[in-house]
Amino acid sequence: MNDERAASCPLVAQAQGKYRSAGGNEDGKEAGSTTRPRNRMTTVPRCVLLLSLSLTVWSVPIDRNAPHQDAQPPQGQKAEESVDTGLYYDRYLREVIEVLETDPHFREKLQTANTEDIKNGRLSKELDLVGHHVRTRLDELKRQEVSRLRMLLKAKLDSTNTHSLQMDHAALLKQFEHLDPHNQNTFEAKDLELLIATATKDLENYDAERHEEFKRYEMLKEHERRQYLKSLDQEKREKEERRLQELQEKHRQHPKVNAPGSVAQLQEVWEETDGLDPKEFNPKTFFKLHDTNGDGVLDEQELEALFTKELEKVYDPKNEEDDMMEMEEERLRMREHVMKNVDLNHDRLVSLEEFLKSTEKKEFTSPKEWETLDEAKPVYSEAELQQFEAELLQKEAELSRRAASLRQEQELLNERSKALEAQRKEYQQAVMEMSQRQKNQQTGQGAPPPGPNGELQFHPDAKKPEEDPKGPVSQAIDAEAQNVPPAEPPQNLPLHTL
C-alpha cells in the first residue's frame, strides 16, 4: 500500500495521533508521497477501510531545506514500516485492507462510495463481487485470525488454571467484536462490516481514553507527592513543600501562549517555522505549505505539528518543573479546540474551504485567551482523588494478600523439598547397603571384602581358620582314611584246622 492513501482518512489520522501520544517520536521524518487528486468525495470515504495502513510517520512543520517530496529514497534504502494503530487486531485489519485493495472492482466502488455507505454496511455487500482469488485469500486470513485468537484464549485459560475438556470456542470468540464468531472458516460481508464498525469505534473513543489515562496519571502523581511529604519530619516537610511551590511557580512563568488556530498563532508559525515575512501572511498559502502530504486536507497530525512552537513556550524536557505527559495532554487539548471550531462536517479533517471559513470568524483575529493546564481548573476533583486513593489501598491490600499466599506456598514447597531430599538420602543409603550385601555374598563369607578397585585389603579383625593340633601330615592321613572304603574279608584264604 502506498503511504499517501492514509493521510486523507480521519480515522487513520486519529490512529497516528494515538501512536504519538503513546510515546512516538515528535521529530519523525516526513515520508515521501505523491500528490493525489484533491477531491473530498474520493478521499474521505476511504478512510474507514484505510484505518491502519500507511501510518509511517506524522507531519512536521515544513523544512525549506528538505529534499522535494517526490524525491525517491536512495537505492537500497527500505521504506519505513507502517506505524501500529495499537489495535489488538491491527495486523488482521491491515492484511484484509491490502487484499481488498488488489481487487479492481472493489477499489472502484471504494472511490465512489461515501462515508455513510461504508458505515451502514452497503459497501460490505460489494464483497460478493470481488475475484475468487481475493475471497480465497480473505478466507485464509480469517482462519489465521481465528486460530490466533484461540491460542490467546487457551493461554489465558491456562494462566488462570481453568481447564475445560469441552471448550466452546464459538462462545469464547464472541468476546472479539471484529469478526463473526458463528462462521470461523470463510470471510463474508458480515466480517467486513464488523471489522469496519469495531475499528471505527475503537479509534473514535481513543481521545476520551487518553484524557482518562491522563487524569489517573495526575491523581497518582498527587497521591505519591502526599505520601512522600507524610514520610518526612516537620522541618523537612516544610522545606520540601517550599521547594515544590517554587517549581510550580517557575513553571507558570512562561511567555504568553497564543490560542491555537488564531491568526497570531499561525503567523508565528509562518514567521519562525516557515521563515516568511509575517506581513505577507496568506491563509491559503499557509494551508498548502502545511498540507505536507499534498492530499488537500489537514489531518490531526498536521494540525498538531502547528502547536509545537506554543508548547515549547511552556514545556522544556530539561526542566524539572515541566512534565512531558502534561505537554502531550496540552497538545491534545489544542487539537480538539481547533477541530471543534474548524471541522464543520466532523470528519476529523480540515479542508481548505473549512480552513478559509475559519479565518473569517471573529475568533480568528480576537480569540479568547488560551488557558494552559496549570491555569485551567484541575482535571480531577478532591472526591475523585479520594476514590482513586481508596482503590489504590484496595489494590495494595489485595497484592499483600497475594504476596502472603505466595510466601505460604513457598514455605510449603521448601518443606516438601526438604522432605524429598531426606527421602532421597534414605533411598541412597538403602541402595548402598543392598549393594554391599551382594558383594559380600559374591566374595564368600570368610573372604575379606575387596577394596574399592577390587584389590585385596588387610583386615586384622578377620577370623583366621583354626589349625588342627595333629598337624598337616596327620590331617592328610585322616583325609585319606576318610576316603578309603571299609575293608572286606579276604577271599580264598587257606583254612587252618586245629
Side-chain angles (χ1 to χ4, degrees):
M1 297 289 293
N2 294 330
D3 291 343
E4 71 269 11
R5 293 174 184 167
S8 63
C9 174
L11 295 176
V12 167
Q14 186 178 7
Q16 290 174 321
K18 175 177 180 179
Y19 176 82
R20 182 192 314 206
S21 67
N25 181 6
E26 282 296 322
D27 297 325
K29 297 180 181 179
E30 179 183 338
S33 60
T34 56
T35 302
R36 299 174 61 239
R38 302 185 179 187
N39 185 342
R40 293 279 294 182
M41 291 305 294
T42 61
T43 57
V44 174
R46 302 184 60 184
C47 67
V48 182
L49 285 181
L50 303 180
L51 296 170
S52 62
L53 295 183
S54 311
L55 307 182
T56 53
V57 290
W58 37 89
S59 305
V60 297
I62 188 169
D63 185 356
R64 307 188 73 83
N65 297 322
H68 192 271
Q69 290 184 359
D70 294 333
Q72 297 296 328
Q75 187 174 3
Q77 180 179 355
K78 295 182 178 180
E80 293 190 51
E81 293 184 359
S82 298
V83 174
D84 196 319
T85 61
L87 302 175
Y88 68 91
Y89 49 90
D90 176 80
R91 180 176 178 179
Y92 175 63
L93 176 63
R94 292 171 184 269
E95 291 176 343
V96 168
I97 296 171
E98 289 175 358
V99 172
L100 288 172
E101 284 284 311
T102 62
D103 185 80
H105 172 78
F106 194 89
R107 190 186 186 94
E108 180 182 356
K109 290 294 182 181
L110 185 61
Q111 292 284 352
T112 57
N114 55 43
T115 306
E116 290 302 319
D117 289 340
I118 297 176
K119 290 185 176 182
N120 60 24
R122 288 196 205 95
L123 186 63
S124 302
K125 295 180 174 59
E126 299 293 333
L127 187 67
D128 296 333
L129 303 178
V130 300
H132 176 71
H133 67 286
V134 174
R135 293 299 297 269
T136 302
R137 179 57 181 151
L138 291 174
D139 293 345
E140 181 182 354
L141 290 177
K142 182 175 181 180
R143 286 191 293 268
Q144 292 175 357
E145 178 70 359
V146 170
S147 177
R148 183 182 72 88
L149 296 178
R150 283 177 176 172
M151 292 178 62
L152 290 176
L153 290 171
K154 185 178 184 303
K156 182 179 180 180
L157 294 175
D158 291 344
S159 65
T160 56
N161 296 324
T162 304
H163 301 282
S164 176
L165 297 178
Q166 297 179 349
M167 184 183 302
D168 188 353
H169 290 287
L172 292 173
L173 288 173
K174 289 181 180 179
Q175 302 177 50
F176 305 99
E177 300 178 348
H178 64 287
L179 51 75
D180 182 8
H182 302 293
N183 176 15
Q184 303 178 20
N185 297 314
T186 59
F187 189 97
E188 304 296 341
K190 181 68 173 178
D191 292 288
L192 182 57
E193 182 179 347
L194 291 173
L195 184 60
I196 294 172
T198 305
T200 304
K201 180 187 67 175
D202 291 345
L203 293 176
E204 285 180 347
N205 294 337
Y206 186 72
D207 283 351
E209 294 175 2
R210 282 180 60 186
H211 288 307
E212 185 64 26
E213 289 176 3
F214 176 74
K215 182 169 73 172
R216 294 182 67 84
Y217 167 78
E218 288 289 292
M219 290 191 294
L220 179 60
K221 187 169 67 172
E222 176 62 18
H223 170 73
E224 292 178 345
R225 186 189 71 84
R226 294 183 181 184
Q227 293 299 316
Y228 171 66
L229 293 176
K230 287 181 181 179
S231 65
L232 303 176
D233 57 45
Q234 184 175 358
E235 182 179 357
K236 292 183 178 179
R237 181 166 57 251
E238 293 176 352
K239 182 178 179 180
E240 182 65 14
E241 286 178 344
R242 287 194 299 270
R243 188 185 74 86
L244 294 175
Q245 289 177 357
E246 291 174 358
L247 290 176
Q248 291 178 358
E249 186 62 27
K250 183 180 178 182
H251 175 69
R252 294 190 183 98
Q253 301 302 323
H254 55 73
K256 178 184 176 181
V257 177
N258 296 313
S262 65
V263 63
Q265 188 259 317
L266 298 183
Q267 283 181 343
E268 188 173 17
V269 176
W270 175 275
E271 179 180 6
E272 298 187 13
T273 303
D274 301 335
L276 301 175
D277 187 349
K279 297 180 181 180
E280 299 178 357
F281 175 76
N282 183 281
K284 186 174 182 180
T285 303
F286 181 91
F287 181 93
K288 293 182 178 180
L289 281 174
H290 293 277
D291 177 18
T292 54
N293 57 5
D295 63 351
V297 293
L298 296 180
D299 58 36
E300 294 178 345
Q301 285 62 57
E302 289 168 334
L303 285 175
E304 289 185 359
L306 302 178
F307 311 141
T308 301
K309 288 295 180 182
E310 302 302 322
L311 295 171
E312 288 176 350
K313 297 177 182 178
V314 186
Y315 300 96
D316 186 345
K318 299 179 182 179
N319 295 338
E320 180 184 359
E321 67 273 11
D322 298 336
D323 190 334
M324 295 300 103
M325 289 289 291
E326 293 181 357
M327 183 184 74
E328 291 306 317
E329 177 68 9
E330 193 79 68
R331 189 190 302 274
L332 175 59
R333 292 176 67 239
M334 288 181 171
R335 189 248 293 166
E336 289 179 333
H337 172 79
V338 172
M339 282 295 188
K340 180 180 179 181
N341 297 322
V342 181
D343 183 20
L344 301 178
N345 60 359
H346 306 292
D347 62 353
R348 306 181 76 89
L349 295 171
V350 176
S351 66
L352 176 60
E353 181 182 0
E354 290 173 331
F355 182 77
L356 294 178
K357 284 185 179 180
S358 69
T359 62
E360 299 173 359
K361 296 181 179 179
K362 180 181 179 181
E363 292 79 6
F364 183 70
T365 54
S366 303
K368 295 181 180 179
E369 186 176 352
W370 179 257
E371 292 185 346
T372 57
L373 280 172
D374 55 318
E375 298 169 341
K377 63 179 182 179
V379 295
Y380 60 88
S381 64
E382 185 64 26
E384 289 176 323
L385 178 60
Q386 292 178 0
Q387 182 180 358
F388 177 76
E389 291 179 330
E391 293 175 359
L392 286 181
L393 291 175
Q394 184 178 0
K395 290 180 180 179
E396 290 177 359
E398 179 63 24
L399 290 175
S400 298
R401 287 193 295 270
R402 291 183 61 184
S405 176
L406 290 174
R407 284 195 296 270
Q408 292 178 355
E409 293 180 4
Q410 182 66 29
E411 292 175 358
L412 291 175
L413 289 174
N414 290 338
E415 294 177 359
R416 181 70 182 274
S417 177
K418 292 178 181 178
L420 291 174
E421 180 64 19
Q423 189 177 12
R424 184 182 67 82
K425 291 181 178 180
E426 291 179 0
Y427 288 159
Q428 287 181 344
Q429 184 66 23
V431 170
M432 292 176 63
E433 292 177 357
M434 291 179 61
S435 177
Q436 187 65 30
R437 285 197 296 269
Q438 291 177 356
K439 290 180 180 179
N440 291 339
Q441 292 177 358
Q442 292 176 358
T443 57
Q445 295 182 359
N453 296 324
E455 71 276 9
L456 295 177
Q457 288 185 332
F458 175 72
H459 295 271
D461 297 335
K463 294 183 179 181
K464 297 181 180 179
E466 297 182 356
E467 296 183 357
D468 194 330
K470 295 181 180 181
V473 177
S474 299
Q475 292 177 7
I477 294 174
D478 292 342
E480 184 179 357
Q482 291 177 358
N483 295 329
V484 175
E488 297 181 356
Q491 299 288 333
N492 301 323
L493 292 179
L495 297 174
H496 296 281
T497 59
L498 295 177

